[in-house]
Every structure is written in structure tokens, then in C-alpha cells.
Amino acid sequence: MKFSVLGPLALSDGGGSRALPTAPKTRSLLALLVLHADQPVPQDICLEELWPEEMPPSAVQSLHTRVLHLRQALAKVPAVGSLRAAKQILVTGHGGYALHLGENHLDLHDLEHRLRLARQAELAHDDRKLSFALRDALSLWRGPVLGDTPAGPRIQAHATSLEERRVTLLEKCVEAELRLGLHHELLPELRSLTVYFPTHENLHAQYMLALYRSGRVAQCLEAYRLLRDRLVAQIGIEPSPRLRELHAAVLAESPDLTLPGPGSRLLSAG
């Protein structure tokens, strides 16, 4: 039995997916417990998550009912098999609830394992293994985190953090692949990313470098111009000094930009 949160909330068991409750607040409760797997979640936290604005008088009873519904859903999973066993997984105690999953029963556990491999490759300065490990980690995202589940403040905070982590990993992966000289192969992906993140400076810097190394200098300069226009119009700021320095290096045809190895300091994120 494995839960997945890096995309729509999902549960798989053996050969296929298992149905989860469709009631919005019940799904939200399950998502909250999954995100805090193997940790107690106080009842007050559950209530605040499900009713962040105005809590009805029946909220506590409603919460208890939703916990029962979750246990009934778990009991139908072959790996669980009974309501009694479900109570050993979704436990009541210490003024709240805990969902006991253990290792390797959540896609976030898979993510941490793959990122450990990425860190080992990074320490060894092996960009090829780093790229492979990061692509493997990024493949766990199946869409927006918990995109099908109503989010209160805590679920939203977790989802935002995981989405930001995805972008950071993607930047690191692209940076490694640029060092490997894969600028041609990266162009379609970077083009899409700069459309999706129209004011993200580091992704634009990576796109500019990939364009420049592919001999598309005019497009590189146009990408900078479009980014600058958006930053000024939407946020009221100029590009960062690092990006302006990259732009100047492109205009000067700096030899640093042609290096596919460790590459220009202009590329480094931060």
C-alpha cells in the first residue's frame, strides 16, 4: 500500500490504484494525515485545516465521522483487509490522530531516497549521474501537488513548499546538463519553462545560455528583453545584476559562455 501526494492524492496497492473518499473535507483530512505520516496530528489542527474560516458547532462530530470513513476506506484495501487492521493504521490517541505508514509507503519517501543518490553524485562531481538521479526524482511528480484536494493553510503550505522544491531540483538538473553540453536537447524544455515561469530569472538565464551555445544569439537577446519588460511591467524591478552581467557577456561574445564544462559563474543559481 502506497500513498502519493506529488500530484493528485492517490493510493495504490499491488497491481492498481484504490478508490479514495470523494467528499472534499474527508480527502483534505486524509491529505493532512498523509503529509504528517507517522506523526500525531492534534485534533485542533485537523479542525482548523478543515474549517479555516468558520467552524460549525458540529465540527468535532463531523471530524470523528470523517475518520471513520477513512478507516472504512482503508479496510477495503487488500493489504489492510479489515476495519480492525485499519484502526491500527489510522490511530486515535494523544488528543488527535496519526496515520502509521512506515518506510516506503509514501512517494515522499521515494523522493528522499532518489535525492540521496543525487547528493552522492553531486559530491563526486559526476554530472551524468547527478542528471540521471534528479530526472528520476522529478519523475515522481504527476502534476500539481494534491491538485485535486481542497487545501487549508497547512496543506497549502506543504504543497507550495513541494512545488518550490521541484523547481529548485529542475534548475539544478538543467545546470548539470548544461555542464554536460546538452544545450540543444534542453531548448524545448527551457522554452516551456520560461513560458510557465515568465519572471523566473534563473530559468531564463539557463535558457539564454542554451540559446547562445546553440548559436541562437538573436533569440537569446530577445529572451532577455522579454524578461526585462515583464519584470519592469509586472514587478517594477530591473533584472538582477547577475542577469545583466550575463546579457553583457552575450553582447561581448565572452568565451566563458561557450564552455560546456563547469561553465560560467553567470549560470550558477543564487
Side-chain angles (χ1 to χ4, degrees):
M1 182 177 75
K2 175 169 284 188
F3 283 95
S4 301
V5 298
L6 296 173
L9 181 62
L11 171 61
S12 60
D13 178 46
S17 60
R18 299 293 169 183
L20 291 173
T22 57
K25 290 192 183 302
T26 306
R27 288 182 71 86
S28 295
L29 177 61
L30 177 58
L32 180 68
L33 295 172
V34 169
L35 288 169
H36 294 84
D38 302 302
Q39 303 173 42
V41 181
Q43 177 175 283
D44 288 349
I45 296 298
C46 296
L47 293 170
E48 291 169 7
E49 183 68 20
L50 299 186
W51 291 279
E53 296 179 0
E54 185 175 354
M55 197 176 302
S58 60
V60 172
Q61 183 57 47
S62 178
L63 175 62
H64 294 166
T65 300
R66 294 175 197 283
V67 170
L68 173 61
H69 291 166
L70 290 178
R71 286 176 174 149
Q72 290 171 338
L74 288 172
K76 295 178 183 178
V77 178
V80 180
S82 70
L83 188 59
R84 180 177 180 179
K87 290 180 180 178
Q88 300 302 310
I89 296 173
L90 177 46
V91 177
T92 302
H94 305 293
Y97 306 95
L99 186 67
H100 293 304
L101 296 181
E103 281 294 320
N104 303 318
H105 292 287
L106 178 60
D107 59 354
L108 295 179
H109 299 156
D110 295 338
L111 177 63
E112 291 307 318
H113 171 70
R114 297 179 192 191
L115 291 182
R116 281 196 293 272
L117 297 178
R119 285 191 287 271
Q120 291 171 9
E122 190 172 20
L123 288 171
H125 304 289
D126 189 330
D127 282 329
R128 196 166 298 280
K129 286 185 179 179
L130 176 59
S131 167
F132 180 84
L134 289 173
R135 289 290 177 186
D136 197 31
L138 288 163
S139 72
L140 291 170
W141 270 266
R142 298 166 291 109
V145 173
L146 295 170
D148 65 341
T149 303
R154 287 171 178 80
I155 292 176
Q156 186 58 58
H158 275 276
T160 299
S161 176
L162 287 167
E163 291 295 354
E164 289 174 350
R165 192 176 194 187
R166 174 177 175 266
V167 176
T168 299
L169 294 175
L170 192 52
E171 291 176 74
K172 185 183 289 289
C173 182
V174 169
E175 189 171 336
E177 290 167 352
L178 283 170
R179 289 195 297 265
L180 290 168
L182 301 177
H183 38 273
H184 286 291
E185 293 84 346
L186 286 166
L187 282 176
E189 181 178 17
L190 284 169
R191 184 183 306 114
S192 297
L193 287 169
T194 55
V195 170
Y196 193 80
F197 299 101
T199 59
H200 194 296
E201 290 201 7
N202 198 55
L203 289 173
H204 279 76
Q206 292 176 329
Y207 184 39
M208 288 173 62
L209 189 61
L211 286 168
Y212 184 86
R213 288 180 176 173
S214 300
R216 304 184 185 185
V217 179
Q219 287 179 254
C220 172
L221 295 171
E222 178 66 6
Y224 176 83
R225 185 191 67 79
L226 289 173
L227 173 62
R228 180 186 179 278
D229 288 349
R230 290 191 202 102
L231 289 172
V232 171
Q234 297 178 21
I235 308 177
I237 62 171
E238 289 284 341
S240 66
R242 185 178 64 88
L243 203 63
R244 295 200 300 271
E245 193 176 348
L246 173 59
H247 179 246
V250 170
L251 291 172
E253 298 183 357
S254 169
D256 288 344
L257 300 182
T258 64
L259 299 175
S264 169
R265 60 191 173 83
L266 300 171
L267 175 61
S268 300

